[in-house]
Each structure stands twice: as structure tokens, then as C-alpha cells.
Amino acid sequence: HMVRRVASQNLGPMLEALVSVSGRVCFGENGSVGSIIIPLYEELASNEQPDSVRLQTTENCVAIGKTLSTVTKGSPLSLFEQGLVQRILPLIVATIDDRSWRVRWTAASKFANVITAFDPIPDVMDSLIPAYEKLLQDPEAEVRTAATFNLAAVAQCKAMVPPGMTTGRNGDDPPAANEPHTTVAERLVKRVTSLTEDDSEHVRAALAMVATELAPVLGKDATIAHLVPPVLLLLRDAASEVRLNLISSLSSLNEVIGVDLLSQSLLPAILDLAQDGKWRIRFAIIKHIPLLAKQLGKDFFSEKLASLCVGWLGDDIATIRVAAAHNLKELTALFGAQWAIDHIVPSIEEIRYHTSYLRRLTALNACMLMMTKMEPTTATTELLPFVLEMTTDAVANIRFTVAKGMKDVAPLCGQRVYSTQIRPVLQELMEDTDRDVRFFSREITNDLDEKLGQN
């Protein structure tokens, strides 16, 4: 078994080496592919072989497709070469129905490679696309997940295929006679709705990551007709990971149809994820907020989501609070200082009086980060007074944070503001009751005096 497994692993590389030396002659009537290599393929792919040998079948078939496509360079296949292809296709299709789920899983996870390798060869997709659809309906969730991950890549296939069946019937049923052929993407998009109802969360999560990539291939009208309805279903999925995956992959869909169609449906999904019980989900959605803000536009975002972004500053998890502060900095850079002053700063200034010192600390950090994305005069008039007032806070850690923050804030505000507003406050902090506050205030003042030319 072990010898056959290693032989099977090296069959593809051996074929590639053979063709690189001899060229297209190998695929001719007297060539070694038809007389030696393909019989070896058929032998090592047969059901008598153990799983570990049959696992290599898909990879080996990819090698045949690649080498044949390379040597023919788009020219028509000879009758003999067509015959070789017809001997290989059943081996690929057989892996789809293999008794071992590991063999089917390998076929599913590598199916995009199969399609890419055989795409330049005519008349093969009528067999391969129904086989792929069968993998999407496999009894094992792992196989369906692996197949689903390849959905967008398989849909890139340039060949035209029969339109397939209505959802719910097997993809390998014969199509009606004389039906016009359609693109692979248009055929596969019919499968997306049934996948949104899959019992496995992993399959739906995989679908959410790749479904939107069908949009550029389908074009605007087909996307609105066939892809938007299942996408809206995924946005309402019970599993937070599915909703998150979809939101994180929306940009390719929005580029095709614009965000207006989705914005009203996006909102509930974002709000749900923002309050998800798992902190990692909340963390992930914060990371996507700047991109979503760009897509949703200033007005919609300000009305519906600005307050949510401030709310995250009060999260129980420290990582979320830090991410929320950085998120506000990114939004200030995106929408401008005036937007931040109108929609964010008033809420942050209220937090100054909050009983929780951690809330006050996060608000302070957010302000200092936002200042880095503002014009010096705006930062000085709008946010500096709030930051400097925090030096009167009862908690030493907050006073310490102000002193430390001045290292970045003071150069931003300029030499005059440093002399008149910041340095006097730092001098007060040099007399603070807390030893660390005194030490850092002195260190930072010396450093800034040197930088900003203070005598």
C-alpha cells in the first residue's frame, strides 16, 4: 500500500516531467501517455486500491488537464487526445461518488484546480459541473464545506454549460433538449439558495465568505435577481459567524449593485453582531466598521451607527475598548474632523463624568487618537481642553495617561500651544501625589522642551 501511495503521489510530477521533455508527442497515438500513463492512472484510481492511494486521483487528473492545456495552447484536440480526455473524466467523476468521505473531501477541496486545469479543453464542463454540484449536496458536512469554499473559483469557468435543474433535483439529471447553454456562474447561483438552508453552520459560513464573489461574474441584473435574495437570508442567519463572514466579504457585491439595496438589511445584522455574546465577534465587526462606513456613506452611517461606535468604548472587554478607540480614529480620518465634532465628541465628553474609571480612560485615549487625524487648530480648540481637564481626575492612572499622551499630542498642537496650555499642566503634574505621574511628567516635559525649543 505504501509503495502504491508514493507511486500515486509522484504520478502527476512524472507526467509533467515527461511532457516538458517530449512535448505534445506524448499525447499522440504512439505516445507514452496513452500507452503507459493513463493505464497507471486507471489502475491507481480503481476501487480495489486503498483510500490513501485513491486520495491522489484528483491531483493527478489536474496534472493531465494542465499539461494537455499547456501543450495544445488553445489549438483543437486531435481525435486521439479527445479519447484520452474521455478516459480521464470518468476518473474525476468517480471521486465524487467514492465510498470514502476523505477521497470526496479531497476532490471537493481541489475542485477549483480541476476546473482551472480543464477549462481550456472543450466539452468537458458538461461532465464536471454536475459532478461539482453533487459535491455541494454530499451527505458529509465537511465535504459540502470544502466544495462551497470553491464556489466562486469554479464560477470563474469560461465554458458554457446546460442550465441545469431547478433547485431540489439532482444536478446530474439530463437537461431538457435544445435548451440554450448558460455560464457556469448562472448555473451555480441557483445552488446558493439551497446552501443557505444547509443544516451545517460551517457550510453556511463558507458560503457567506464566497457567495458575494459571484457578483462580478454574474453582472448587475443577474446578481439582483439571483444572488441578493440568498445574501439577505445569510444576513439573518442564526449563527453570528455566518453573518460576520458575509459582512466582511460584502465589498465585491457592493461594487456591482451599490450599497443602497442592502443598507436597510445590513443595519439589523450589524447591530446584532455589535451586541454578540462572543467578544471575538464584536471585535471582528469593529475591524470592519471603517470599510462599511465607506460603503454606507456619511449620512446613513451618522444616523444609524455613530452612537454604536461610541457605545463600544464602554465594553467590558479591554481589547474591544482599545479597538473602539482606534475605530473612532479611522472614522475621523474617513469622514473628517467636523463630522467627529458633530457626532462623536459630544458623547465622549459626557463619559468624562462616568463613575467607571475605565470608561473615562478609554474616552481619553479615543480623544488623543482622534486628535492625530485632525488639523492642529481643530484639535487644539475642540479636544485639547477635554484632555487637559482629565489631569484633575481622582484616579492616578488617568493623570498618568494624560502626561504620557502629551508626547504625541504636544508636537501636533505646535510650539505656542505647548508653551501656553500644555506645559503649565505638565508642571502641575510634576507636583502630583503619585510618584509615577511625577516621574513621567518630568521626563516628557524635558523631552518636549528639547523638541519644541522651550527654554
Side-chain angles (χ1 to χ4, degrees), residues 49 96 98 139 203 211 262 340 432 448:
Q49 302 294 351
I96 310 303
D98 199 279
V203 174
L262 288 179
D432 198 89
L448 288 171

Side-chain angles (χ1 to χ4, degrees), residues 33-203:
V33 172
S35 58
I36 300 169
I37 301 284
I38 300 240
L40 278 175
Y41 267 60
E42 289 167 337
E43 170 67 22
L44 292 169
S46 74
N47 268 332
E48 285 73 58
Q49 302 294 351
D51 297 1
S52 59
V53 176
R54 297 200 314 280
L55 276 175
Q56 313 305 322
T57 302
T58 308
E59 198 68 71
N60 288 336
C61 291
V62 168
I64 282 244
K66 266 187 191 166
T67 49
L68 189 54
S69 300
T70 306
V71 294
T72 54
K73 295 188 178 74
S75 62
L77 268 60
S78 69
L79 279 174
F80 190 78
E81 286 166 345
Q82 287 173 25
L84 295 180
V85 171
Q86 293 310 315
R87 285 172 72 183
I88 284 294
L89 286 179
L91 303 185
I92 301 173
V93 174
T95 60
I96 310 303
D97 290 316
D98 199 279
R99 64 177 183 272
S100 162
W101 77 268
R102 284 171 63 223
V103 173
R104 300 197 308 274
W105 180 88
T106 305
S109 59
K110 294 181 187 297
F111 216 85
N113 299 349
V114 173
I115 295 294
T116 307
F118 282 88
D119 199 9
I121 299 169
D123 304 323
V124 294
M125 292 304 156
D126 289 10
S127 306
L128 292 180
I129 296 301
Y132 173 67
E133 289 176 323
K134 215 165 187 184
L135 286 170
L136 291 172
Q137 299 167 308
D138 195 90
E140 294 292 337
E142 285 89 346
V143 177
R144 296 198 303 277
T145 304
T148 303
F149 269 123
N150 279 297
L151 185 69
V154 172
Q156 303 281 343
C157 174
K158 294 177 184 68
M160 302 295 279
V161 290
M165 297 296 119
T166 52
T167 307
R169 296 194 37 212
N170 287 331
D172 50 357
D173 287 348
N178 303 325
E179 248 188 303
H181 278 39
T182 180
T183 65
V184 172
E186 282 169 354
R187 175 165 170 162
L188 289 180
V189 77
K190 297 172 187 171
R191 296 271 158 207
V192 174
T193 303
S194 57
L195 286 168
T196 62
E197 296 158 6
D198 198 282
D199 294 339
S200 166
E201 180 186 323
H202 299 294
V203 174

